[in-house]
Each structure stands twice: as structure tokens, then as C-alpha cells.
Amino acid sequence: MSSPLVCSGLGRDLALAALARGDKVIATARGRTVSKLEDLKTAGAATLELDVTSPLEKLHEAAKEAVNIYGKIDVLVNNAGYMLVGAIEESTPEETFDQFNTNVFGALNVARAILPYMREKKSGTVIWMGSVGGWQSVPYGGLYATTKWALRGISETLNDEISPLGLRSVCIDLGYFRTSFLGGTQRGPPVSRIPDYQPLTEAAEARFQAYNGKQPGNPAIAVELLVDLLHGAGNTQGKSFPTTINLGSDSYSVAKKASEDALIRLEEWKTVSYSTDFEQH
């Protein structure tokens, strides 16, 4: 298996887990951080400079370079992302664009650059790193969560479009895993620009920091399961390949409640929904 990875946090752990299984890995990072991939290179990974926010033409060049390393790409892991914090009104248009440009538009363009090679082979899997935040309202992290809602929708639609071609797309909706994510390496600094929101934003930031280091999810188990999923091994063996998988008990519980609440709301408003149709004769 050859898979380009944007390697930080869980992506780095996934790269190491794949290498340990004997898979071929291409680890990618932006120019100023590509030197941090030396340990992965020592472990056997190829490395490549890649900024997901680059123009599509530049991403096509990087995709061609990646394919030339091993001759094909079996798996693309769209792992690049960070969390912008603050109430939605507080976030500037520039901050909002940057959040979507990295988490959504960048991931989309990387997929656009890699998919032609997968279509040529009629084989390949695109993985999008979603979040439990894509199943609920996340005040103070609302724009980040919204990008994760978007990724699940993109992944499901993409899967419908590419599955007839022999390809697959899956969104991995992660719960809170014990990584450095809440500590500041993949998130923006605390923000409190509008006094009306200060009680909410400060309380949310305090909850994040109190939770940091106590998250229930075990990254080592998660990455092994993801490698199993791609190989059809372990606990994933015999199951149909999912369009979305929730990893972590918290992600499962939140998604289950959101689904149940949606069914209740739909039934309560069913007559109103039906009332807007033309009369059937």
C-alpha cells in the first residue's frame, strides 16, 4: 500500500503503523516543516514537500512526483487540518477562509490531483479525517466543526461518484483522542474579542485545557484499526466498507444521539414537511 500522508499528530502515528505492516508510505509536509519528517524517513518512508493550500497546478506536480516514487497511489489520507477557535462572529473573514482553505478546499484539491492516477488503475481509497465535531454544534470551535461536517458530505458524495470506477471514499469521524491537538500545535490561540461572548469562550477554552491529556481515545489503537480497515483485517474483516466510521466511544455516542434526535424532529414536523407539496390527484 502506498499512501501520501500529511504527517503530524495522528497522521504521523498512522504512517508508522503502516510502515510496521510493510506498507510503502509517502509522508508529506509543508516546506518549513518537511525537516520534521526525518524520523519517518529513517523508518522507511519516502518524504515529499506538499502544502495543501498550493494552487491545483502545483498539487498536480506533487502528485506526479509521488506516483513516480512507487508507481501508484493506493490510498490518499487527507489529514491536514487545524482548529480555529473563537465564536463565529469573532472570526475574521481572512481567518474563516484560511480555516476552510486548509481543512476543506486544500483536501479537495489534493484529491483532485491524486484521483486521475487512481481512476487509471481502477483502484484506490480516499480517506478524509473527520471529527465528532461534524455531528454536533461546537460553540467556540464552530468553524472547525463546520469543516468536518463538510468533509463527511464530500466523502459520501465522492464515494457515490467513484465507486462505479472501482474506487472508495471514507470519512473517519474521530472522537477526542489523546494527541497534542488541544495543546496548541494544531489549533489557533485562545480568542475573546467580543465581550458578550467572553463567558462562553473562556469556559470552552477552560474545558479544552482540563480535557487535554484525559481524552478517552487511544491513538495507537486507532491507527492500527485504520490500517486494518484498508487491509480488510482484524475487527474490520467481513464488514462492508463504510462511507463513514466513528472512532471512539464519544464519537459513536454523539453521532447516535444526533441521528436519533433528527428522527424525532423529522416525525414531529412531518405534517408540516408534507404540507408544502403540490396536491396529489
Side-chain angles (χ1 to χ4, degrees), residues 143-279:
L143 291 175
Y144 167 78
T146 304
T147 65
K148 298 304 183 179
W149 283 75
L151 288 183
R152 189 168 75 255
I154 289 168
S155 179
E156 290 190 9
T157 302
L158 180 66
N159 188 70
D160 287 342
E161 292 174 346
I162 65 177
S163 57
L165 308 176
L167 313 183
R168 310 181 297 190
S169 180
V170 58
C171 188
I172 312 297
D173 284 340
L174 299 161
Y176 283 90
F177 279 76
R178 209 166 295 180
T179 68
S180 59
F181 188 80
L182 293 178
T185 59
Q186 290 175 274
R187 50 155 291 180
V191 172
S192 186
R193 295 173 179 148
I194 300 176
D196 283 347
Y197 295 117
Q198 194 167 342
L200 181 149
T201 57
E202 290 184 352
E205 178 64 29
R207 284 195 300 273
F208 278 154
Q209 296 315 313
Y211 206 37
N212 192 22
K214 299 176 182 176
Q215 300 96 318
N218 186 332
I221 296 175
V223 295
E224 291 294 339
L225 189 143
L226 287 177
V227 179
D228 279 344
L229 178 67
L230 294 168
H231 285 281
N235 288 337
T236 72
Q237 191 170 8
K239 293 180 172 62
S240 58
F241 195 83
T243 55
T244 302
I245 183 170
N246 294 79
L247 294 189
S249 58
D250 51 352
S251 182
Y252 171 87
S253 298
V254 168
K256 184 171 187 287
K257 185 178 187 305
S259 301
E260 291 170 345
D261 288 349
L263 288 173
I264 291 170
R265 173 182 53 79
L266 284 166
E267 288 307 307
E268 180 183 357
W269 287 85
K270 180 178 178 180
T271 56
V272 175
S273 299
Y274 272 62
S275 71
T276 58
D277 287 358
F278 284 107
E279 288 187 15

Side-chain angles (χ1 to χ4, degrees), residues 25-202:
V25 171
I26 305 171
T28 71
R30 290 171 295 178
R32 64 178 181 269
T33 59
V34 73
S35 61
K36 295 181 179 180
L37 301 178
E38 284 304 314
D39 60 330
L40 294 179
K41 195 171 182 179
T42 301
T47 60
L48 188 67
E49 182 178 333
L50 175 68
D51 184 341
V52 301
T53 63
S54 298
L56 182 57
E57 295 76 15
K58 194 170 183 65
L59 294 176
H60 275 298
E61 293 173 8
K64 184 177 181 180
E65 187 176 349
V67 170
N68 286 338
I69 294 173
Y70 293 123
K72 63 175 180 175
I73 300 293
D74 295 315
V75 180
L76 167 65
V77 181
N78 267 318
N79 184 58
Y82 70 96
M83 178 171 66
L84 176 69
V85 295
I88 288 176
E89 185 186 351
E90 292 180 310
S91 303
T92 67
E94 293 77 16
E95 289 170 334
T96 302
F97 174 79
D98 288 344
Q99 176 76 117
F100 277 81
N101 199 30
T102 296
N103 291 15
V104 181
F105 307 146
L108 263 175
N109 280 336
V110 172
R112 288 174 175 136
I114 295 293
L115 279 168
Y117 300 99
M118 291 184 171
R119 286 190 287 104
E120 182 182 3
K121 300 289 186 182
K122 297 194 183 325
S123 175
T125 301
V126 181
I127 293 179
W128 310 78
M129 287 300 190
S131 168
V132 61
W135 290 89
Q136 63 182 354
S137 163
V138 184
Y140 186 62
L143 291 175
Y144 167 78
T146 304
T147 65
K148 298 304 183 179
W149 283 75
L151 288 183
R152 189 168 75 255
I154 289 168
S155 179
E156 290 190 9
T157 302
L158 180 66
N159 188 70
D160 287 342
E161 292 174 346
I162 65 177
S163 57
L165 308 176
L167 313 183
R168 310 181 297 190
S169 180
V170 58
C171 188
I172 312 297
D173 284 340
L174 299 161
Y176 283 90
F177 279 76
R178 209 166 295 180
T179 68
S180 59
F181 188 80
L182 293 178
T185 59
Q186 290 175 274
R187 50 155 291 180
V191 172
S192 186
R193 295 173 179 148
I194 300 176
D196 283 347
Y197 295 117
Q198 194 167 342
L200 181 149
T201 57
E202 290 184 352

